[in-house]
Amino acid sequence: MNFLRKNWLTLLLSVFLVSMFLFPDFRAFVQRQILMKPSLEKVEKDVTFTAEEMNIQLKGVNVPDANLADFKDKVVFLNFWGSWCPPCRAEYPSIQKLYEAKKNKVAFVLIAMQDEEEKVKKFLADNNYTTPVYFATSPLSEKMLPKVFPTTFILGKNGRILMKEDAAKDWNSESVHQFLESVNP
């Protein structure tokens, strides 16, 4: 028993090395998981929405219809929300304040999800909100599709994801203002 206590690491490494030689599938797994670095192309794909993913028809609620691709050369505040969603409603005043401060430098695209147009219009009117609100009329890519509400992306020019938030947030904070200034001076 004393031998095992003193040599457990050596035994473990020996089993690992023997497994590498005896089991080709194990060796391939180790090479893929530990020894290989992810390709730059894969990393770039994971952090950027492609032109195809940005090609989403948007039906304007309080603004003209658009396509998300129309904003590709701008920093975009992209928010998925619903008038039925308490956290979305809670964060909306801070989004409105951020919009008022940054609307000349940042494109705001708020997409109402799983909602009815009349309820959205009433919510906006009751609260005097002027942020641009849309409904997506074409499918969203799996990478963009929100898993929770609200979900917000801040996209750099050409669709690069600079920030993603899967929860309500105070969007009018000093740190958000500084971040937006740093990415779009």
Side-chain angles (χ1 to χ4, degrees):
M1 188 67 168
N2 200 15
F3 173 78
L4 288 176
R5 276 193 200 156
K6 289 183 178 179
N7 297 302
W8 69 269
L9 184 59
T10 304
L11 288 171
L12 183 65
L13 287 173
S14 298
V15 169
F16 179 79
L17 290 173
V18 167
S19 297
M20 289 281 290
F21 289 109
L22 293 178
F23 304 107
D25 289 340
F26 181 72
R27 180 173 53 243
F29 172 79
V30 170
Q31 288 174 336
R32 280 193 314 270
Q33 300 299 318
I34 297 173
L35 303 176
M36 302 294 285
K37 294 181 181 176
S39 71
L40 185 58
E41 182 179 305
K42 181 181 180 334
V43 170
E44 187 64 26
K45 183 179 179 214
D46 287 346
V47 298
T48 302
F49 290 128
T50 65
E52 183 178 314
E53 290 170 319
M54 294 285 287
N55 185 18
I56 299 170
Q57 287 300 118
L58 301 170
K59 180 182 184 284
V61 173
N62 59 349
V63 290
D65 294 353
N67 188 303
L68 187 56
D70 296 343
F71 305 105
K72 71 177 180 178
D73 294 327
K74 299 179 180 179
V75 172
V76 178
F77 181 92
L78 176 62
N79 177 268
F80 295 94
W81 71 287
S83 65
W84 49 267
C85 163
C88 303
R89 295 171 73 95
E91 80 170 355
Y92 213 105
S94 70
I95 293 173
Q96 178 66 37
K97 288 178 183 167
L98 181 66
Y99 171 71
E100 290 167 1
K102 299 292 183 188
K103 64 184 172 187
N104 294 329
K105 288 188 152 197
V106 176
F108 284 75
V109 178
L110 283 76
I111 299 178
M113 302 284 290
Q114 303 170 1
D115 220 328
E116 297 171 22
E117 188 169 349
E118 289 310 312
K119 288 182 180 178
V120 171
K121 285 181 178 179
K122 182 176 178 358
F123 173 75
L124 296 174
D126 288 351
N127 295 287
N128 296 316
Y129 293 142
T130 58
T131 53
V133 175
Y134 303 89
F135 283 98
T137 58
S138 53
L140 302 175
S141 73
E142 185 65 31
K143 190 174 15 171
M144 191 179 291
L145 192 65
K147 311 283 186 274
V148 297
F149 293 96
T151 293
T152 304
F153 294 94
I154 295 180
L155 306 176
K157 296 174 182 176
N158 298 315
R160 185 168 180 80
I161 302 168
L162 304 176
M163 180 187 291
K164 180 181 180 191
E165 184 68 44
D166 289 327
K169 178 180 175 102
D170 177 7
W171 289 105
N172 195 39
S173 69
E174 185 60 33
S175 63
V176 172
H177 282 270
Q178 288 175 357
F179 177 76
L180 289 173
E181 283 299 320
S182 73
V183 299
N184 194 24

